[in-house]
Protein backbone atom coordinates (compact mmCIF):
# COMPACT_ATOMS: atom_id res chain seq x y z
CA UNK A 1 0.00 0.00 0.00
CA UNK A 2 1.15 3.53 -0.68
CA UNK A 3 1.71 5.91 2.21
CA UNK A 4 -1.46 7.93 1.68
CA UNK A 5 -3.57 4.76 1.66
CA UNK A 6 -2.02 3.63 4.95
CA UNK A 7 -3.01 6.94 6.53
CA UNK A 8 -6.68 6.39 5.86
CA UNK A 9 -8.98 5.33 8.64
CA UNK A 10 -11.17 2.32 7.95
CA UNK A 11 -14.70 1.44 8.99
CA UNK A 12 -15.92 -2.16 8.91
CA UNK A 13 -19.39 -3.27 7.82
CA UNK A 14 -21.06 -6.48 6.83
CA UNK A 15 -22.30 -4.92 3.58
CA UNK A 16 -21.22 -1.69 1.90
CA UNK A 17 -23.58 -0.41 -0.80
CA UNK A 18 -22.45 2.19 -3.33
CA UNK A 19 -25.42 4.27 -4.51
CA UNK A 20 -28.65 5.29 -2.77
CA UNK A 21 -30.87 4.60 -5.76
CA UNK A 22 -33.80 2.17 -5.88
CA UNK A 23 -31.52 -0.89 -6.05
CA UNK A 24 -29.14 0.14 -3.26
CA UNK A 25 -31.86 1.26 -0.85
CA UNK A 26 -34.02 -1.81 -1.51
CA UNK A 27 -30.97 -4.01 -0.85
CA UNK A 28 -30.19 -2.22 2.40
CA UNK A 29 -33.78 -2.46 3.59
CA UNK A 30 -34.04 -6.15 2.70
CA UNK A 31 -30.83 -6.96 4.59
CA UNK A 32 -32.18 -5.28 7.70
CA UNK A 33 -35.59 -6.95 7.34
CA UNK A 34 -33.95 -10.38 7.11
CA UNK A 35 -31.71 -9.69 10.10
CA UNK A 36 -34.69 -8.47 12.13
CA UNK A 37 -36.69 -11.60 11.27
CA UNK A 38 -33.75 -13.81 12.23
CA UNK A 39 -33.11 -11.94 15.48
CA UNK A 40 -29.59 -11.01 14.47
CA UNK A 41 -27.64 -7.92 13.45
CA UNK A 42 -26.24 -6.94 10.05
CA UNK A 43 -24.33 -3.68 9.67
CA UNK A 44 -25.07 -1.87 6.40
CA UNK A 45 -23.64 1.36 4.99
CA UNK A 46 -25.04 3.13 1.92
CA UNK A 47 -22.87 5.71 0.16
CA UNK A 48 -24.41 8.45 -1.99
CA UNK A 49 -22.35 10.88 -4.05
CA UNK A 50 -25.23 13.37 -4.24
CA UNK A 51 -25.71 15.99 -1.55
CA UNK A 52 -28.75 14.07 -0.29
CA UNK A 53 -30.62 10.89 -1.12
CA UNK A 54 -32.51 11.60 -4.36
CA UNK A 55 -30.33 14.53 -5.44
CA UNK A 56 -29.03 12.63 -8.50
CA UNK A 57 -32.13 10.52 -9.19
CA UNK A 58 -33.91 11.30 -12.44
CA UNK A 59 -36.58 9.22 -14.13
CA UNK A 60 -39.89 9.75 -15.96
CA UNK A 61 -41.44 8.12 -13.96
CA UNK A 62 -44.29 5.67 -14.26
CA UNK A 63 -43.55 3.15 -11.54
CA UNK A 64 -44.64 -0.46 -11.48
CA UNK A 65 -45.12 -1.18 -7.75
CA UNK A 66 -44.36 -4.89 -8.15
CA UNK A 67 -41.08 -4.85 -6.20
CA UNK A 68 -42.34 -2.30 -3.68
CA UNK A 69 -45.29 -4.59 -2.96
CA UNK A 70 -42.81 -7.29 -2.00
CA UNK A 71 -40.54 -5.02 0.03
CA UNK A 72 -43.29 -3.14 1.87
CA UNK A 73 -46.74 -4.73 1.39
CA UNK A 74 -48.14 -1.84 3.47
CA UNK A 75 -46.37 0.93 1.52
CA UNK A 76 -49.60 2.91 1.15
CA UNK A 77 -50.12 3.03 4.90
CA UNK A 78 -46.46 3.95 5.34
CA UNK A 79 -46.91 6.98 3.09
CA UNK A 80 -44.85 6.08 0.02
CA UNK A 81 -45.13 9.00 -2.45
CA UNK A 82 -47.00 7.11 -5.19
CA UNK A 83 -50.15 9.19 -5.01
CA UNK A 84 -51.18 9.43 -8.68
CA UNK A 85 -52.44 6.21 -10.28
CA UNK A 86 -52.40 6.02 -14.07
CA UNK A 87 -55.88 6.79 -15.43
CA UNK A 88 -55.37 7.46 -19.15
CA UNK A 89 -52.83 5.65 -21.32
CA UNK A 90 -52.09 7.09 -24.78
CA UNK A 91 -49.62 6.01 -27.45
CA UNK A 92 -49.17 8.19 -30.53
CA UNK A 93 -47.07 8.61 -33.63
CA UNK A 94 -46.15 12.23 -34.35
CA UNK A 95 -45.52 13.91 -37.66
CA UNK A 96 -44.18 17.47 -38.03
CA UNK A 97 -47.65 18.97 -37.58
CA UNK A 98 -50.04 16.11 -36.84
CA UNK A 99 -50.46 12.97 -34.78
CA UNK A 100 -51.88 9.46 -35.10
CA UNK A 101 -53.27 7.85 -31.97
CA UNK A 102 -52.47 4.11 -32.03
CA UNK A 103 -53.56 3.38 -28.47
CA UNK A 104 -56.24 1.11 -29.92
CA UNK A 105 -53.72 -1.33 -31.40
CA UNK A 106 -53.56 -4.69 -29.61
CA UNK A 107 -50.52 -4.82 -27.33
CA UNK A 108 -49.39 -7.29 -24.67
CA UNK A 109 -50.87 -6.57 -21.27
CA UNK A 110 -47.50 -5.69 -19.77
CA UNK A 111 -47.29 -2.71 -22.14
CA UNK A 112 -50.30 -1.12 -20.45
CA UNK A 113 -49.69 1.25 -17.54
CA UNK A 114 -52.86 0.68 -15.54
CA UNK A 115 -51.94 -0.47 -12.05
CA UNK A 116 -48.84 1.73 -12.17
CA UNK A 117 -48.26 5.10 -10.54
CA UNK A 118 -46.87 8.42 -11.77
CA UNK A 119 -44.36 9.80 -9.30
CA UNK A 120 -41.02 11.42 -8.71
CA UNK A 121 -38.50 8.58 -8.42
CA UNK A 122 -36.21 10.98 -6.55
CA UNK A 123 -38.89 11.42 -3.89
CA UNK A 124 -39.55 7.67 -3.78
CA UNK A 125 -35.84 7.21 -3.06
CA UNK A 126 -35.98 9.87 -0.36
CA UNK A 127 -38.83 7.91 1.23
CA UNK A 128 -36.93 4.62 0.88
CA UNK A 129 -33.96 6.31 2.54
CA UNK A 130 -36.15 7.21 5.52
CA UNK A 131 -37.38 3.62 5.80
CA UNK A 132 -33.81 2.33 5.60
CA UNK A 133 -32.57 4.65 8.33
CA UNK A 134 -35.50 3.68 10.55
CA UNK A 135 -34.29 0.07 10.26
CA UNK A 136 -30.75 1.05 11.26
CA UNK A 137 -29.06 1.49 7.87
CA UNK A 138 -26.26 4.08 7.91
CA UNK A 139 -26.59 6.39 4.90
CA UNK A 140 -23.78 8.77 4.00
CA UNK A 141 -24.85 11.42 1.44
CA UNK A 142 -22.13 13.59 -0.06
CA UNK A 143 -19.66 10.69 0.00
CA UNK A 144 -18.42 9.76 -3.46
CA UNK A 145 -16.84 6.31 -3.75
CA UNK A 146 -13.84 7.14 -5.91
CA UNK A 147 -11.80 3.94 -5.80
CA UNK A 148 -11.80 0.31 -4.77
CA UNK A 149 -9.88 -1.51 -2.04
CA UNK A 150 -8.85 -5.14 -2.58
CA UNK A 151 -7.98 -8.08 -0.38
CA UNK A 152 -4.71 -9.91 -0.90
CA UNK A 153 -6.56 -12.62 -2.86
CA UNK A 154 -7.79 -9.99 -5.35
CA UNK A 155 -11.38 -9.80 -4.14
CA UNK A 156 -13.06 -6.45 -3.54
CA UNK A 157 -12.76 -5.48 0.11
CA UNK A 158 -14.33 -2.04 0.06
CA UNK A 159 -14.22 1.46 -1.34
CA UNK A 160 -12.45 4.75 -0.73
CA UNK A 161 -14.77 7.67 0.02
CA UNK A 162 -14.59 11.30 1.05
CA UNK A 163 -11.40 12.39 -0.70
CA UNK A 164 -11.53 16.21 -0.70
CA UNK A 165 -9.15 19.14 -0.91
CA UNK A 166 -7.18 18.26 -4.04
CA UNK A 167 -6.63 21.36 -6.20
CA UNK A 168 -7.13 21.55 -9.95
CA UNK A 169 -3.37 21.32 -10.49
CA UNK A 170 -3.16 18.25 -8.27
CA UNK A 171 -1.62 19.73 -5.13
CA UNK A 172 -3.17 19.12 -1.72
CA UNK A 173 -4.92 22.18 -0.31
CA UNK A 174 -5.14 23.13 3.35
CA UNK A 175 -8.47 21.33 3.72
CA UNK A 176 -7.17 18.12 2.13
CA UNK A 177 -8.66 14.91 3.48
CA UNK A 178 -7.40 11.54 2.17
CA UNK A 179 -10.81 10.02 2.71
CA UNK A 180 -11.73 6.81 4.45
CA UNK A 181 -11.87 3.16 3.54
CA UNK A 182 -15.21 1.48 4.07
CA UNK A 183 -14.72 -2.27 4.18
CA UNK A 184 -17.50 -4.76 3.66
CA UNK A 185 -17.69 -8.52 3.81
CA UNK A 186 -19.61 -7.89 0.60
CA UNK A 187 -19.73 -4.76 -1.57
CA UNK A 188 -22.82 -3.97 -3.65
CA UNK A 189 -22.27 -1.71 -6.65
CA UNK A 190 -25.48 0.22 -7.36
CA UNK A 191 -24.09 3.40 -8.93
CA UNK A 192 -26.66 3.52 -11.72
CA UNK A 193 -25.95 3.74 -15.44
CA UNK A 194 -22.29 3.62 -16.51
CA UNK A 195 -20.93 3.84 -12.98
CA UNK A 196 -17.22 4.53 -12.72
CA UNK A 197 -16.51 1.69 -10.27
CA UNK A 198 -18.75 -0.71 -12.18
CA UNK A 199 -16.65 -0.04 -15.31
CA UNK A 200 -13.47 -0.95 -13.46
CA UNK A 201 -14.99 -4.07 -11.94
CA UNK A 202 -16.49 -5.31 -15.22
CA UNK A 203 -13.11 -4.95 -16.91
CA UNK A 204 -11.04 -6.43 -14.06
CA UNK A 205 -13.20 -9.50 -13.58
CA UNK A 206 -14.24 -9.85 -17.24
CA UNK A 207 -17.91 -9.74 -16.38
CA UNK A 208 -19.02 -8.83 -19.91
CA UNK A 209 -17.32 -11.73 -21.71
CA UNK A 210 -19.84 -13.64 -23.80
CA UNK A 211 -22.38 -10.82 -23.49
CA UNK A 212 -23.55 -8.35 -26.07
CA UNK A 213 -22.30 -4.77 -25.63
CA UNK A 214 -24.50 -2.68 -23.38
CA UNK A 215 -26.71 -0.20 -25.25
CA UNK A 216 -27.85 3.17 -23.95
CA UNK A 217 -30.15 6.11 -24.48
CA UNK A 218 -30.10 9.63 -23.14
CA UNK A 219 -33.21 10.82 -21.34
CA UNK A 220 -33.79 14.56 -21.10
CA UNK A 221 -36.55 15.71 -18.81
CA UNK A 222 -38.28 18.84 -17.59
CA UNK A 223 -40.79 19.26 -14.80
CA UNK A 224 -43.51 21.84 -15.36
CA UNK A 225 -46.30 23.15 -13.19
CA UNK A 226 -49.24 23.98 -15.45
CA UNK A 227 -52.59 25.79 -15.11
CA UNK A 228 -55.48 23.60 -13.87
CA UNK A 229 -57.18 23.75 -17.27
CA UNK A 230 -54.14 22.08 -18.87
CA UNK A 231 -53.82 19.40 -16.24
CA UNK A 232 -55.16 15.87 -16.65
CA UNK A 233 -54.24 13.90 -13.49
CA UNK A 234 -53.16 10.36 -14.26
CA UNK A 235 -52.47 10.99 -17.96
CA UNK A 236 -49.62 8.97 -19.45
CA UNK A 237 -48.69 9.73 -23.06
CA UNK A 238 -45.87 8.25 -25.12
CA UNK A 239 -45.00 9.12 -28.69
CA UNK A 240 -42.76 7.82 -31.45
CA UNK A 241 -41.72 9.61 -34.62
CA UNK A 242 -41.12 13.36 -34.97
CA UNK A 243 -38.85 15.13 -34.13
CA UNK A 244 -36.62 12.07 -34.73
CA UNK A 245 -36.36 10.47 -38.15
CA UNK A 246 -37.22 6.82 -38.74
CA UNK A 247 -33.61 5.67 -38.40
CA UNK A 248 -33.01 7.47 -35.10
CA UNK A 249 -34.48 5.49 -32.23
CA UNK A 250 -36.24 7.17 -29.36
CA UNK A 251 -39.52 8.59 -28.16
CA UNK A 252 -41.15 11.03 -25.79
CA UNK A 253 -43.11 10.86 -22.58
CA UNK A 254 -45.55 13.15 -20.79
CA UNK A 255 -46.99 12.33 -17.37
CA UNK A 256 -49.47 14.38 -15.30
CA UNK A 257 -49.26 13.89 -11.53
CA UNK A 258 -49.24 15.53 -8.12
CA UNK A 259 -49.80 19.26 -7.76
CA UNK A 260 -50.48 20.14 -11.43
CA UNK A 261 -47.09 18.71 -12.37
CA UNK A 262 -46.30 17.66 -15.93
CA UNK A 263 -43.21 15.51 -16.35
CA UNK A 264 -42.13 15.74 -19.98
CA UNK A 265 -39.10 14.38 -21.76
CA UNK A 266 -37.37 12.80 -24.73
CA UNK A 267 -35.28 9.64 -24.92
CA UNK A 268 -32.82 9.36 -27.82
CA UNK A 269 -31.14 6.02 -28.35
CA UNK A 270 -27.39 6.59 -28.41
CA UNK A 271 -26.77 4.30 -31.37
CA UNK A 272 -27.78 7.17 -33.65
CA UNK A 273 -25.52 7.71 -36.66
CA UNK A 274 -25.86 11.39 -37.53
CA UNK A 275 -23.13 13.14 -35.47
CA UNK A 276 -24.92 16.49 -35.81
CA UNK A 277 -27.93 15.41 -33.74
CA UNK A 278 -28.38 17.36 -30.52
CA UNK A 279 -30.78 15.43 -28.24
CA UNK A 280 -31.31 18.56 -26.12
CA UNK A 281 -32.40 20.63 -29.12
CA UNK A 282 -34.59 17.83 -30.46
CA UNK A 283 -36.42 17.89 -27.13
CA UNK A 284 -36.86 21.67 -27.21
CA UNK A 285 -38.24 21.33 -30.73
CA UNK A 286 -40.64 18.57 -29.65
CA UNK A 287 -42.31 20.81 -27.07
CA UNK A 288 -43.37 23.21 -29.84
CA UNK A 289 -45.46 20.53 -31.57
CA UNK A 290 -49.10 21.68 -31.88
CA UNK A 291 -50.33 18.67 -29.90
CA UNK A 292 -47.81 19.23 -27.08
CA UNK A 293 -47.45 22.99 -26.61
CA UNK A 294 -51.04 23.51 -25.37
CA UNK A 295 -50.31 21.36 -22.31
CA UNK A 296 -47.44 23.67 -21.31
CA UNK A 297 -48.74 27.12 -22.26
CA UNK A 298 -49.23 29.34 -19.25
CA UNK A 299 -47.19 26.97 -17.13
CA UNK A 300 -43.78 27.29 -15.51
CA UNK A 301 -40.74 25.11 -16.03
CA UNK A 302 -39.42 24.33 -12.56
CA UNK A 303 -36.77 21.63 -13.05
CA UNK A 304 -34.49 20.18 -15.72
CA UNK A 305 -32.16 17.20 -15.90
CA UNK A 306 -30.67 14.47 -18.05
CA UNK A 307 -29.50 10.91 -17.49
CA UNK A 308 -28.29 7.99 -19.55
CA UNK A 309 -30.51 4.89 -19.62
CA UNK A 310 -29.47 1.26 -20.11
CA UNK A 311 -31.22 -0.30 -23.11
CA UNK A 312 -29.31 -3.51 -23.87
CA UNK A 313 -31.59 -5.71 -21.81
CA UNK A 314 -31.35 -9.50 -21.61
CA UNK A 315 -28.39 -9.93 -24.00
CA UNK A 316 -26.30 -7.24 -22.33
CA UNK A 317 -26.66 -8.10 -18.64
CA UNK A 318 -23.12 -8.87 -17.46
CA UNK A 319 -22.10 -11.54 -15.02
CA UNK A 320 -23.56 -10.18 -11.79
CA UNK A 321 -21.24 -11.52 -9.10
CA UNK A 322 -17.52 -10.91 -8.66
CA UNK A 323 -15.14 -11.83 -5.84
CA UNK A 324 -16.31 -9.78 -2.89
CA UNK A 325 -19.46 -8.25 -4.33
CA UNK A 326 -22.24 -7.89 -6.87
CA UNK A 327 -23.70 -5.52 -9.45
CA UNK A 328 -27.28 -4.42 -8.81
CA UNK A 329 -29.79 -2.18 -10.60
CA UNK A 330 -28.68 -0.10 -13.55
CA UNK A 331 -25.02 -0.83 -12.82
CA UNK A 332 -25.89 -4.10 -14.57
CA UNK A 333 -28.75 -2.81 -16.73
CA UNK A 334 -32.24 -4.20 -16.11
CA UNK A 335 -34.39 -1.62 -17.91
CA UNK A 336 -37.29 -3.02 -19.89
CA UNK A 337 -36.99 -0.79 -22.95
CA UNK A 338 -40.46 -1.30 -24.52
CA UNK A 339 -42.08 -0.56 -21.15
CA UNK A 340 -39.64 2.32 -20.47
CA UNK A 341 -39.38 1.04 -16.90
CA UNK A 342 -36.53 -0.16 -14.74
CA UNK A 343 -36.96 0.94 -11.14
CA UNK A 344 -39.02 -2.14 -10.22
CA UNK A 345 -36.35 -4.41 -11.69
CA UNK A 346 -33.58 -2.43 -9.99
CA UNK A 347 -35.30 -2.83 -6.62
CA UNK A 348 -35.86 -6.54 -7.12
CA UNK A 349 -32.24 -7.24 -8.04
CA UNK A 350 -31.12 -5.33 -4.95
CA UNK A 351 -33.46 -7.49 -2.88
CA UNK A 352 -32.21 -10.71 -4.49
CA UNK A 353 -28.60 -9.75 -3.82
CA UNK A 354 -29.46 -8.90 -0.21
CA UNK A 355 -31.09 -12.29 0.33
CA UNK A 356 -28.06 -14.19 -0.97
CA UNK A 357 -25.59 -12.01 0.93
CA UNK A 358 -27.55 -12.52 4.14
CA UNK A 359 -27.38 -16.30 3.72
CA UNK A 360 -23.62 -16.06 3.14
CA UNK A 361 -23.14 -13.89 6.23
CA UNK A 362 -25.15 -16.35 8.30
CA UNK A 363 -22.81 -19.09 7.07
CA UNK A 364 -19.80 -17.06 8.19
CA UNK A 365 -18.60 -16.32 4.67
CA UNK A 366 -17.11 -13.12 3.29
CA UNK A 367 -15.26 -11.89 0.21
CA UNK A 368 -16.28 -14.82 -1.99
CA UNK A 369 -18.36 -14.78 -5.15
CA UNK A 370 -22.11 -14.77 -4.54
CA UNK A 371 -22.89 -17.10 -7.42
CA UNK A 372 -26.29 -17.82 -5.90
CA UNK A 373 -27.33 -14.24 -6.72
CA UNK A 374 -26.83 -14.93 -10.42
CA UNK A 375 -28.93 -18.09 -10.08
CA UNK A 376 -31.64 -16.21 -8.20
CA UNK A 377 -31.72 -13.56 -10.92
CA UNK A 378 -32.05 -16.17 -13.67
CA UNK A 379 -35.09 -17.63 -11.91
CA UNK A 380 -36.69 -14.28 -11.12
CA UNK A 381 -39.48 -12.33 -12.77
CA UNK A 382 -36.85 -9.74 -13.75
CA UNK A 383 -35.06 -12.18 -16.05
CA UNK A 384 -38.35 -13.49 -17.44
CA UNK A 385 -39.53 -9.97 -18.19
CA UNK A 386 -36.30 -9.05 -19.98
CA UNK A 387 -36.24 -12.28 -21.97
CA UNK A 388 -39.70 -11.61 -23.39
CA UNK A 389 -38.66 -8.18 -24.76
CA UNK A 390 -35.07 -9.08 -25.74
CA UNK A 391 -35.51 -8.53 -29.48
CA UNK A 392 -37.34 -5.20 -29.32
CA UNK A 393 -34.16 -3.10 -29.33
CA UNK A 394 -32.34 -5.02 -32.12
CA UNK A 395 -35.43 -4.91 -34.36
CA UNK A 396 -35.76 -1.19 -33.82
CA UNK A 397 -32.09 -0.64 -34.61
CA UNK A 398 -32.18 -2.73 -37.81
CA UNK A 399 -35.50 -1.79 -39.34
CA UNK A 400 -36.31 1.67 -37.97
CA UNK A 401 -39.09 3.03 -35.81
CA UNK A 402 -42.17 2.24 -37.89
CA UNK A 403 -41.31 -1.19 -39.32
CA UNK A 404 -38.94 -2.42 -36.62
CA UNK A 405 -40.42 -0.72 -33.60
CA UNK A 406 -44.15 -0.89 -34.23
CA UNK A 407 -44.91 -3.60 -36.81
CA UNK A 408 -42.20 -6.22 -36.25
CA UNK A 409 -41.62 -5.24 -32.64
CA UNK A 410 -45.31 -5.45 -31.79
CA UNK A 411 -45.64 -8.87 -33.43
CA UNK A 412 -42.49 -10.13 -31.70
CA UNK A 413 -43.62 -8.91 -28.26
CA UNK A 414 -47.05 -10.49 -28.67
CA UNK A 415 -45.67 -13.92 -29.65
CA UNK A 416 -42.92 -13.84 -27.05
CA UNK A 417 -45.36 -12.85 -24.32
CA UNK A 418 -47.85 -15.60 -25.22
CA UNK A 419 -45.12 -18.26 -25.30
CA UNK A 420 -43.23 -17.16 -22.21
CA UNK A 421 -40.20 -15.94 -24.13
CA UNK A 422 -40.07 -18.06 -27.29
CA UNK A 423 -39.12 -16.22 -30.47
CA UNK A 424 -38.82 -17.45 -34.05
CA UNK A 425 -35.82 -15.09 -34.24
CA UNK A 426 -34.00 -16.62 -31.30
CA UNK A 427 -32.00 -13.93 -29.54
CA UNK A 428 -30.83 -11.14 -31.82
CA UNK A 429 -27.50 -9.44 -31.26
CA UNK A 430 -26.83 -5.74 -30.75
CA UNK A 431 -23.45 -5.79 -32.51
CA UNK A 432 -21.77 -2.41 -32.29
CA UNK A 433 -21.37 -0.21 -29.24
CA UNK A 434 -23.15 3.14 -29.35
CA UNK A 435 -19.81 4.91 -29.78
CA UNK A 436 -18.96 2.76 -32.82
CA UNK A 437 -22.37 3.53 -34.35
CA UNK A 438 -21.51 7.20 -34.88
CA UNK A 439 -21.31 8.16 -38.56
CA UNK A 440 -18.81 10.41 -40.30
CA UNK A 441 -19.47 14.15 -40.54
CA UNK A 442 -18.88 14.15 -44.29
CA UNK A 443 -21.93 11.91 -44.78
CA UNK A 444 -24.37 14.25 -43.02
CA UNK A 445 -25.41 17.87 -43.08
CA UNK A 446 -25.28 20.04 -39.95
CA UNK A 447 -28.69 20.56 -38.38
CA UNK A 448 -29.93 24.11 -37.83
CA UNK A 449 -32.20 24.06 -34.80
CA UNK A 450 -34.79 26.77 -34.07
CA UNK A 451 -33.75 29.39 -31.56
CA UNK A 452 -35.46 28.93 -28.17
CA UNK A 453 -38.34 31.28 -27.45
CA UNK A 454 -37.73 31.38 -23.68
CA UNK A 455 -41.35 30.42 -23.09
CA UNK A 456 -41.68 26.79 -24.18
CA UNK A 457 -38.16 26.11 -25.46
CA UNK A 458 -34.92 27.11 -23.75
CA UNK A 459 -31.13 27.06 -24.08
CA UNK A 460 -28.74 24.70 -22.31
CA UNK A 461 -27.31 27.11 -19.77
CA UNK A 462 -30.65 28.30 -18.42
CA UNK A 463 -31.66 24.65 -18.23
CA UNK A 464 -28.56 23.64 -16.29
CA UNK A 465 -29.34 26.47 -13.86
CA UNK A 466 -32.64 24.74 -13.05
CA UNK A 467 -30.82 21.49 -12.26
CA UNK A 468 -29.09 23.24 -9.32
CA UNK A 469 -25.79 21.81 -10.52
CA UNK A 470 -22.68 22.83 -8.66
CA UNK A 471 -19.14 21.55 -8.23
CA UNK A 472 -16.20 22.73 -6.17
CA UNK A 473 -14.31 24.64 -8.87
CA UNK A 474 -10.77 24.12 -7.59
CA UNK A 475 -10.60 20.37 -8.03
CA UNK A 476 -9.22 18.14 -10.80
CA UNK A 477 -11.67 17.83 -13.70
CA UNK A 478 -13.71 14.68 -13.22
CA UNK A 479 -14.09 14.45 -17.02
CA UNK A 480 -10.75 13.03 -18.05
CA UNK A 481 -9.38 12.85 -21.59
CA UNK A 482 -7.18 9.85 -22.28
CA UNK A 483 -5.49 11.91 -25.01
CA UNK A 484 -6.13 15.68 -24.95
CA UNK A 485 -5.25 15.97 -28.66
CA UNK A 486 -8.02 13.70 -29.93
CA UNK A 487 -10.99 16.13 -29.75
CA UNK A 488 -9.36 18.52 -32.25
CA UNK A 489 -7.09 16.18 -34.21
CA UNK A 490 -9.57 13.32 -34.68
CA UNK A 491 -13.12 14.01 -33.49
CA UNK A 492 -13.47 17.46 -35.06
CA UNK A 493 -12.42 16.64 -38.64
CA UNK A 494 -13.89 13.15 -38.64
CA UNK A 495 -17.12 13.53 -36.67
CA UNK A 496 -17.62 17.30 -36.24
CA UNK A 497 -16.76 16.79 -32.54
CA UNK A 498 -20.19 15.55 -31.43
CA UNK A 499 -19.47 16.10 -27.71
CA UNK A 500 -20.57 19.72 -28.14
CA UNK A 501 -23.97 18.39 -29.32
CA UNK A 502 -24.72 15.18 -27.43
CA UNK A 503 -23.92 16.75 -24.05
CA UNK A 504 -27.19 18.16 -22.63
CA UNK A 505 -25.43 20.59 -20.31
CA UNK A 506 -22.99 22.61 -22.44
CA UNK A 507 -19.95 20.94 -20.88
CA UNK A 508 -18.01 20.58 -24.12
CA UNK A 509 -17.22 23.40 -26.54
CA UNK A 510 -15.02 23.91 -29.57
CA UNK A 511 -13.74 27.50 -29.49
CA UNK A 512 -11.98 29.46 -32.25
CA UNK A 513 -9.91 32.62 -32.37
CA UNK A 514 -11.24 35.90 -33.81
CA UNK A 515 -10.31 34.83 -37.33
CA UNK A 516 -12.25 31.60 -36.95
CA UNK A 517 -9.08 29.52 -36.83
CA UNK A 518 -7.08 27.53 -34.27
CA UNK A 519 -9.86 25.47 -32.72
CA UNK A 520 -9.44 24.37 -29.13
CA UNK A 521 -11.48 22.02 -26.98
CA UNK A 522 -12.91 23.37 -23.73
CA UNK A 523 -14.44 21.36 -20.88
CA UNK A 524 -16.84 23.24 -18.59
CA UNK A 525 -16.90 20.55 -15.90
CA UNK A 526 -18.87 22.83 -13.58
CA UNK A 527 -21.95 22.31 -15.80
CA UNK A 528 -21.90 18.49 -15.67
CA UNK A 529 -25.24 16.93 -14.64
CA UNK A 530 -23.66 13.47 -14.35
CA UNK A 531 -25.64 11.97 -17.24
CA UNK A 532 -22.59 9.93 -18.44
CA UNK A 533 -23.48 10.38 -22.14
CA UNK A 534 -19.96 11.54 -23.00
CA UNK A 535 -18.43 8.40 -21.53
CA UNK A 536 -20.79 6.32 -23.68
CA UNK A 537 -21.09 8.15 -27.01
CA UNK A 538 -17.64 9.67 -27.63
CA UNK A 539 -16.70 7.96 -30.93
CA UNK A 540 -13.03 7.76 -29.95
CA UNK A 541 -13.87 6.54 -26.42
CA UNK A 542 -11.50 9.22 -25.18
CA UNK A 543 -13.61 10.60 -22.31
CA UNK A 544 -13.58 8.87 -18.94
CA UNK A 545 -16.24 10.03 -16.48
CA UNK A 546 -15.00 9.79 -12.89
CA UNK A 547 -16.53 10.93 -9.62
CA UNK A 548 -15.97 14.54 -8.54
CA UNK A 549 -15.88 15.47 -4.88
CA UNK A 550 -18.93 14.18 -3.02
CA UNK A 551 -21.94 16.46 -2.99
CA UNK A 552 -21.13 17.87 -6.44
CA UNK A 553 -23.45 17.65 -9.42
CA UNK A 554 -27.18 18.29 -9.73
CA UNK A 555 -29.67 18.65 -6.91
CA UNK A 556 -32.91 17.53 -8.47
CA UNK A 557 -36.19 18.58 -6.83
CA UNK A 558 -39.17 16.28 -7.45
CA UNK A 559 -37.50 14.58 -10.41
Amino acid sequence: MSEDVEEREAMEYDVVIVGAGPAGLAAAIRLKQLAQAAGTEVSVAVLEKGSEVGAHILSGAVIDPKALNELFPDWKELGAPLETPVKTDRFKILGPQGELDISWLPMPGFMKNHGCYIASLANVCRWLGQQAEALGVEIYPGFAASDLVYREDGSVKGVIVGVVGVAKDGHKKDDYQPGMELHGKYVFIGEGVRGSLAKVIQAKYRLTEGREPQKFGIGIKELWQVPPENFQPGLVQHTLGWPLDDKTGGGTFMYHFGDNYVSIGLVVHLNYKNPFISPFDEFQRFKQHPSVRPFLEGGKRIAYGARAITEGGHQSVPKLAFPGGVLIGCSAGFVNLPRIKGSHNAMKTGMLAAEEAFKALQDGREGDELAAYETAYQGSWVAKELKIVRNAKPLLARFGTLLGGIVLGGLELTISNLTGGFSFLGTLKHGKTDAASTGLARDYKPIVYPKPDGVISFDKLSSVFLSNTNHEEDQPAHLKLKDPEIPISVNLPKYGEPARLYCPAGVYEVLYDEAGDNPRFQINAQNCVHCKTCDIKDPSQNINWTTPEGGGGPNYPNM
Side-chain angles (χ1 to χ4, degrees), residues 348 352-353 355-356 359 371-381 383:
K348 180 62 174 177
L352 292 172
E355 288 160 7
E356 300 307 327
K359 292 175 188 174
Y373 166 49
E374 186 99 32
T375 304
Y377 160 71
Q378 294 295 347
S380 72
W381 49 257

Side-chain angles (χ1 to χ4, degrees), residues 211-231:
R211 270 67 167 183
E212 283 295 292
Q214 186 59 266
K215 306 295 285 183
F216 300 90
I218 177 174
I220 300 173
K221 173 185 173 181
E222 293 176 352
L223 184 66
W224 286 66
Q225 197 161 37
V226 301
E229 59 269 22
N230 298 0
F231 185 61

Side-chain angles (χ1 to χ4, degrees), residues 110-111 269 271 311-315 336-339 386-401 403-406 408-410 412-413 416 423 425-428 430:
F110 66 80
M111 292 294 290
H269 301 175
N271 61 353
E311 296 184 345
H314 174 77
Q315 302 92 311
N336 181 323
L337 179 61
R339 291 190 75 196
L386 294 185
K387 186 178 181 182
I388 287 171
V389 303
R390 67 191 183 278
N391 289 329
K393 172 77 175 182
L395 286 171
L396 186 65
R398 294 183 191 191
F399 298 105
T401 300
L403 177 59
I406 296 176
L408 297 177
E412 162 75 8
L413 290 179
S416 187
S423 172
L425 302 173
T427 299
L428 298 175
H430 295 308

Side-chain angles (χ1 to χ4, degrees), residues 172-251:
K172 296 173 182 177
K173 298 185 287 187
D174 292 342
D175 63 345
Y176 172 72
Q177 296 289 335
M180 296 184 65
E181 292 184 10
L182 267 66
H183 299 164
K185 293 174 182 174
Y186 295 101
V187 177
F188 289 14
I189 303 296
E191 300 169 297
V193 181
R194 197 71 165 196
S196 51
L197 297 186
K199 278 202 311 177
V200 172
I201 287 169
Q202 290 183 55
K204 180 179 176 65
Y205 299 109
R206 301 180 179 180
L207 303 185
T208 59
E209 284 189 358
R211 270 67 167 183
E212 283 295 292
Q214 186 59 266
K215 306 295 285 183
F216 300 90
I218 177 174
I220 300 173
K221 173 185 173 181
E222 293 176 352
L223 184 66
W224 286 66
Q225 197 161 37
V226 301
E229 59 269 22
N230 298 0
F231 185 61
Q232 298 180 27
L235 170 64
V236 166
Q237 179 171 298
H238 295 108
T239 75
L240 294 173
W242 192 90
L244 305 177
D245 62 37
D246 189 57
K247 296 300 182 184
T248 303

